[in-house]
Amino acid sequence: MRHIPEQRPLIAPSLLSCDFSRIAEEVRAIEEAGADLLHVDVMDGHFVPNITIGPLIVDAINRHAHTPLDVHLMITDPDRYLSDFRKAGADILTVHWEACPHLHRTVQAIHDLDADAGVSINPSTPVALLKDILDDIELVLIMSVNPGFGGQRFIPQALEKVNELRLLANERGLTDLRIEVDGGVTRDNSKALQQAGADILVSGSAIFRSGDYAEYIRALRA
Ligand code: DX5
Ligand code: ZN
């Protein structure tokens, strides 16, 4: 497993907005530009309306990657595919709270595969529902758009949720828990997100449409 860097914030470009016909070049370019993690969006056309990529393409990305793969599973019944995505190179496996009736078991299965476990919540899912799983996971992914597509507008309520989760994590002494935010993250809201307590910023369309990946990643950190 690749090591997840300690420093904060980490920038995780979402490859969903890259040019998949040039995936090797895009991976090289985004890593050279300063990406800390590569965020990979897996969608199944059931949990979310869109269909994206499966283990085969994650494996192709992995062959060119040096930074850890942060695999965001927007799929129903993720348990069936955890091992496939781990074999394909996922270092972090994030499942959706809404897709996992036996979340504790799913998290255990991720740990048994020797990967870091993340749990994501949709915009309408309250932070409080994570209370009984927080001690067992490495990462919470707060969705700041409804999952399914890149290029959507940031839902400002996500800021409050990050703040609430940071307070909850502090109360519990969970200093290692990473808080990641995904959807509509740009240079205009990255500072507020960090101030609210976000450790990992996912950004897709803003980075890949910027024309200068390195400059944009620097701006997100600032
Ligand atoms: C949305 C995905 C995101 C998406 C982010 O369902 O989970 O990772 O690629 O893209 P932007 O930054 O364009 O909102
Ligand atoms: Zn994502």
Side-chain angles (χ1 to χ4, degrees):
M1 190 186 151
R2 299 182 186 92
H3 176 72
I4 316 297
E6 293 299 329
Q7 108 244 358
R8 288 158 199 225
L10 298 179
I11 306 298
S14 166
L15 295 178
L16 190 60
S17 292
C18 84
D19 178 352
F20 271 91
S21 71
R22 298 168 38 250
I23 190 66
E25 282 166 60
E26 289 281 61
V27 166
R28 188 176 341 108
I30 206 70
E31 288 188 341
E32 274 170 16
D36 300 303
L37 306 171
L38 299 180
H39 185 85
V40 184
D41 288 304
V42 175
M43 305 185 189
D44 66 352
H46 289 273
F47 180 69
V48 290
N50 197 6
I51 300 179
T52 55
I53 66 177
L56 197 68
I57 304 296
V58 175
D59 180 65
I61 293 167
N62 187 48
R63 286 164 201 254
H64 300 285
H66 298 89
T67 50
L69 297 192
D70 172 31
V71 175
H72 179 191
L73 297 175
M74 287 161 274
I75 61 177
T76 47
D77 203 1
D79 303 50
R80 286 175 61 188
Y81 303 100
L82 294 172
S83 154
D84 291 346
F85 283 104
R86 177 68 181 123
K87 280 189 206 131
D91 297 287
I92 302 171
L93 282 163
T94 295
V95 295
H96 265 263
W97 184 91
E98 301 82 3
C100 297
H102 304 288
L103 184 58
H104 188 270
R105 181 184 290 149
T106 303
V107 164
Q108 275 183 320
I110 294 172
H111 286 153
D112 287 345
L113 293 168
D114 197 27
D116 279 355
V119 173
S120 182
I121 52 173
N122 280 339
S124 64
T125 303
V127 165
L129 290 171
L130 296 170
K131 193 167 106 359
D132 292 335
I133 197 71
L134 225 43
D135 289 358
D136 300 301
I137 58 180
E138 283 71 41
L139 178 150
V140 173
L141 172 53
I142 294 185
M143 288 308 300
S144 39
V145 298
N146 287 295
F149 302 94
Q152 303 181 82
R153 192 169 317 152
F154 183 80
I155 299 172
Q157 202 202 349
L159 268 172
E160 285 165 45
K161 291 172 84 172
V162 172
N163 205 21
E164 187 186 347
L165 179 59
R166 178 52 69 201
L167 292 173
L168 189 60
N170 286 349
E171 265 171 38
R172 299 275 197 88
L174 298 173
T175 47
D176 292 339
L177 180 79
R178 316 265 188 153
I179 302 179
E180 180 173 32
V181 183
D182 184 10
V185 175
T186 68
R187 62 197 302 168
D188 298 325
N189 54 29
S190 64
K191 190 171 175 200
L193 284 166
Q194 289 175 62
Q195 281 168 346
D199 305 300
I200 306 178
L201 302 177
V202 177
S203 183
S205 52
I207 295 177
F208 284 99
R209 284 181 200 156
S210 70
D212 187 339
Y213 301 168
E215 201 264 332
Y216 205 91
I217 288 174
R218 264 196 304 278
L220 287 172
R221 272 187 226 286

